[in-house]
Structures are given as C-alpha cells and as structure tokens.
Amino acid sequence: MKITEQFSSGLLSYSPPTWATLIAGLFVVISLTLSMFLLFNHLSAYKNPEEQKFLIGVILMVPCYAIESYVSLVNPSISVDCEILRDCYEAFAMYCFGRYLVACLGGEERTIEFLEKQGGSCSSEPLLHNVSEKGVIKHPFPMNYILSPWKLGQWFYQLIKIGIVQYMIIKTVTAILAVVLEAFNVYCEGEFKLNCGYPYMAVVLNFSQSWALYCLVQFYAATKDELAHIKPLAKFLVFKSIVFLTWWQGVAIALLYTWGLLKSPIAQALQFKSSIQDFIICIEHRWALLLLFTSTCSLPSHMN
C-alpha cells in the first residue's frame, strides 16, 4: 500500500520535461491542423453522407488520439482515464471503418447480395488470391488449422459484423472495469503482475482486437475489387497500423519498462511508461494522418 501511495504521490508531483511538452505540442498542432483541413474538405463536399459520416468518424480518431495523449503526457496522474477514453473511441472508429466499407458497397442489403453472388459464382478464374472459384475464403497459416473455409454470403457478412462489434463491446467493458480496478489501486497499468488487472485485460483485448482486425482483413479481401473506386488499401493500412501497432507498441513499452531495458536518455527523462507511450503517439500520429490525408483528400469521383 505504501508503494502505491508513493507512486501516486510521484505522479502528482511529476511534470514532463519542457522539451517533451514543446515537441509533442508542436506535432499535436500539426495533426489538428491537417485533420481540420481534411474534415473541411469532406464537409464542403458532403454529397454522400452515408459514406462520409463514417469516414469522418475514422478521421477524428487521429486528433482524438493526439489530444488525449498530450493531456496524459502533461498530467500523468490521469493517464489511465485518458487511455480509457482513447480506447473507447478506437473501438468506435473500427466500427465506423467497417460501416464505411459497407456504405461504399451500397449498404447492407447490396453488400449481402454481392457476397452471395460471389459465393455462388462458378467462374473458372479465382475471385481473389485466397478465394476459390466457388467463392470460398481459405484462411492463411496458421488459421487454416483452426477455422474451416468461409463461403461468401450472408453468413460470412454476419460473422464479420459480429467480429467487429464484439471488440466494441469488450473494449467498453474492459474500460469500465479498468476504472473500477484503478479506484481500488489494483489495475496497475503496464505492470505484468498476477495480482493486477492489467495483464489479464491485455490478454483479452489482444485476442479481441486481433479477431476484429482479422475479420476486417477478410472482408477487405473479399470486396477489394468492388471497392477499387475508393482506393481502400491506403485507408485500410493506415487504420490497421493506428489500431494494431499502437496497441502492441504500448505492450512492448510496458514489457521493456518492467524488465528495466528502457535506458535511453529520453525514456529516463519521461520517467513513466505511460508518458513514453503518450510522447510517441503525439509524434507518430501526425505521420499516420499524413498518409490518411493523401488517401482521402481526393474524394472519390462519385462524391465530387
């Protein structure tokens, strides 16, 4: 209990180095400027709300990450609360991305019709590199030893939808649970101890997030030719990197911090593992937004 009190006291008395605050603040301003410009482009050409409203929800993920990470960097005592808000929006953004792809296909009914048509196809040429002539998705190694092939159709669409929604639900539940555990000082963010809640939730979230992203990958693979007009590859790669790589980056920092391997001057100056993660996010999401900017600032021809 004394260790927890000392740690809490250290958080309250800690202030990040001036150089870290200034550098992170600069990149946050750049991210906000670019995101506002990108949002203005979409709102000024808001001719297809069924698609653009979900895309706007995805774009807002970057400034949301940037602001919450900067606030957490400046005030580490509320880092858990900021991380929870960030994670909740991440789950919502993943839902928006999936709905955006569906909207680009013409809605749920037309998407299911398209998948059923492909599932019943008898073409002599494969639809995709991992799909047979009969429209059956074959899973890559090692998933092919766990899952049987998926035939394109309504069942496939519902499976993908559940795979994405389950992450939203689990992410929200674990976020609320983290608040409760933090109130009793047993959450221990970034600490892999058996008497802490963080490692258990990290395992659950890892499987949940991995499954949601896997479902998105399969859905993208099955529809990428039909979605060629929106050039989805860049958007998909940027979104996947923001969600998946950011998560594993946080876990890696926590492990390195626990093992005492973070010995660089920057890591020593920032002191807390949450501050290291926040500082990196403030910088790297500017580049993610630049990639997203280049893939979305030119609106599809049917929106112009």
Side-chain angles (χ1 to χ4, degrees), residues 75-141:
N75 188 2
S77 63
I78 60 172
S79 62
V80 173
D81 299 319
C82 290
E83 182 182 359
I84 289 168
L85 292 174
R86 190 168 62 210
D87 290 347
C88 288
Y89 194 87
E90 174 194 299
F92 173 71
M94 182 176 289
Y95 170 78
C96 286
F97 188 77
R99 288 304 304 257
Y100 166 66
L101 296 180
V102 171
C104 290
L105 290 168
E108 287 194 348
E109 292 185 5
R110 292 191 62 182
T111 300
I112 293 174
E113 289 177 2
F114 167 75
L115 292 173
E116 288 180 340
K117 180 180 178 181
Q118 300 303 323
S121 174
C122 295
S123 171
S124 59
E125 295 183 359
L127 175 65
L128 300 169
H129 68 280
N130 63 334
V131 180
S132 71
E133 291 83 359
K134 296 182 179 180
V136 177
I137 291 184
K138 296 180 179 180
H139 302 280
F141 176 85

Side-chain angles (χ1 to χ4, degrees), residues 48-219:
N48 198 329
E50 289 303 315
E51 295 179 20
Q52 288 175 280
K53 65 182 179 182
F54 293 116
L55 187 56
I56 288 173
V58 175
I59 294 170
L60 286 173
M61 179 180 178
V62 174
C64 175
Y65 261 55
I67 293 174
E68 290 174 357
S69 297
Y70 185 76
V71 172
S72 177
L73 174 67
V74 174
N75 188 2
S77 63
I78 60 172
S79 62
V80 173
D81 299 319
C82 290
E83 182 182 359
I84 289 168
L85 292 174
R86 190 168 62 210
D87 290 347
C88 288
Y89 194 87
E90 174 194 299
F92 173 71
M94 182 176 289
Y95 170 78
C96 286
F97 188 77
R99 288 304 304 257
Y100 166 66
L101 296 180
V102 171
C104 290
L105 290 168
E108 287 194 348
E109 292 185 5
R110 292 191 62 182
T111 300
I112 293 174
E113 289 177 2
F114 167 75
L115 292 173
E116 288 180 340
K117 180 180 178 181
Q118 300 303 323
S121 174
C122 295
S123 171
S124 59
E125 295 183 359
L127 175 65
L128 300 169
H129 68 280
N130 63 334
V131 180
S132 71
E133 291 83 359
K134 296 182 179 180
V136 177
I137 291 184
K138 296 180 179 180
H139 302 280
F141 176 85
M143 300 301 292
N144 58 324
Y145 290 103
I146 303 174
L147 302 172
S148 58
W150 292 347
K151 184 175 181 179
L152 297 178
Q154 183 173 2
W155 181 85
F156 171 80
Y157 176 76
Q158 294 299 331
L159 186 64
I160 298 300
K161 188 175 181 180
I162 293 173
I164 297 173
V165 172
Q166 61 84 22
Y167 178 64
M168 290 183 60
I169 296 173
I170 292 177
K171 194 77 168 179
T172 303
V173 171
T174 54
I176 296 173
L177 186 59
V179 174
V180 176
L181 295 178
E182 181 67 15
F184 291 95
N185 295 320
V186 291
Y187 178 59
C188 312
E189 181 189 9
E191 297 183 20
F192 293 86
K193 299 179 180 178
L194 295 179
N195 59 342
C196 293
Y198 175 82
Y200 302 104
M201 283 192 281
V203 171
V204 172
L205 284 174
N206 176 54
F207 280 104
S208 176
Q209 184 188 79
S210 298
W211 178 249
L213 285 171
Y214 182 77
C215 289
L216 268 180
V217 169
Q218 296 299 343
F219 183 72

Side-chain angles (χ1 to χ4, degrees), residues 5-18:
E5 291 176 354
Q6 291 174 358
F7 180 73
S8 299
S9 177
L11 281 175
L12 293 173
S13 61
Y14 168 79
S15 60
T18 303

